[in-house]
Amino acid sequence: MLPPEYAELFDPMQFNVWVKIDPAKVVGASAWYAQRSEHAGGKSVAARYLDCRDAARRGEYVSLEWILHLRQLPDALDSVPDFAVPGSAIVSDEPIVPDAQTPFCETHGILFTARLGCSVCKDPVWHKMPPGLRERLHRGEFP
């Protein structure tokens, strides 16, 4: 098996974690996003509030702005912020934006690009699911 740092450097497949914002926790979500983008000259809490409020009203998924490798997903999903609607966390191949037409891999519980297919199905040797992750994704056992 390749060392983890090798996989991070040379594995071209990346994943993202998405959640829905609890309408009662929009202020917390706004502060969380503003803090994460503060170092990059990002939007203020007030500007983020409008984005978060609108996403919560529409029931849209929002990215947690994480670009992850498959082995990092369990920890990322275990640390989903408390503003997320319980059970709403999903995983997608990067740069997939979840919507009603996004294909879903029933085997691995990951949203993927229709043209490319599920990255884990395509390369099961390289993309080994961390123990228990597949089952947890199917059961929605994340905050």
Side-chain angles (χ1 to χ4, degrees):
M1 185 164 150
L2 299 172
E5 59 274 5
Y6 182 87
E8 288 176 12
L9 289 173
F10 298 101
D11 182 358
M13 182 47 56
Q14 297 175 326
F15 299 89
N16 203 336
V17 176
W18 299 82
V19 298
K20 291 184 178 185
I21 297 173
D22 182 334
K25 298 181 179 178
V26 169
V27 173
S30 307
W32 188 85
Y33 279 106
Q35 180 185 22
R36 292 211 41 180
S37 66
E38 182 178 37
H39 67 281
K43 294 181 177 180
S44 67
V45 175
R48 289 285 183 174
Y49 175 82
L50 297 175
D51 294 341
C52 292
R53 180 200 65 193
D54 292 346
R57 282 183 181 166
R58 291 188 298 260
E60 293 176 339
Y61 281 99
V62 294
S63 170
L64 293 180
E65 299 179 19
W66 294 341
I67 305 293
L68 305 164
H69 295 283
L70 193 60
R71 69 178 190 81
Q72 297 170 305
L73 288 176
D75 289 341
L77 288 165
D78 285 341
S79 60
V80 169
D82 67 351
F83 63 76
V85 171
S88 71
I90 59 171
V91 173
S92 71
D93 283 350
E94 174 60 22
I96 295 296
V97 176
D99 64 23
Q101 290 76 39
T102 306
F104 177 76
C105 177
E106 293 292 338
T107 303
H108 298 109
I110 298 172
L111 299 169
F112 61 90
T113 305
R115 180 175 52 84
L116 300 176
C118 173
S119 57
V120 181
C121 287
K122 285 189 324 190
D123 194 352
V125 173
W126 185 264
H127 295 104
K128 294 183 189 300
M129 293 293 283
L133 179 59
R134 177 184 297 117
E135 295 78 13
R136 291 172 66 200
L137 282 169
H138 282 290
R139 290 192 301 257
E141 293 181 0
F142 306 103

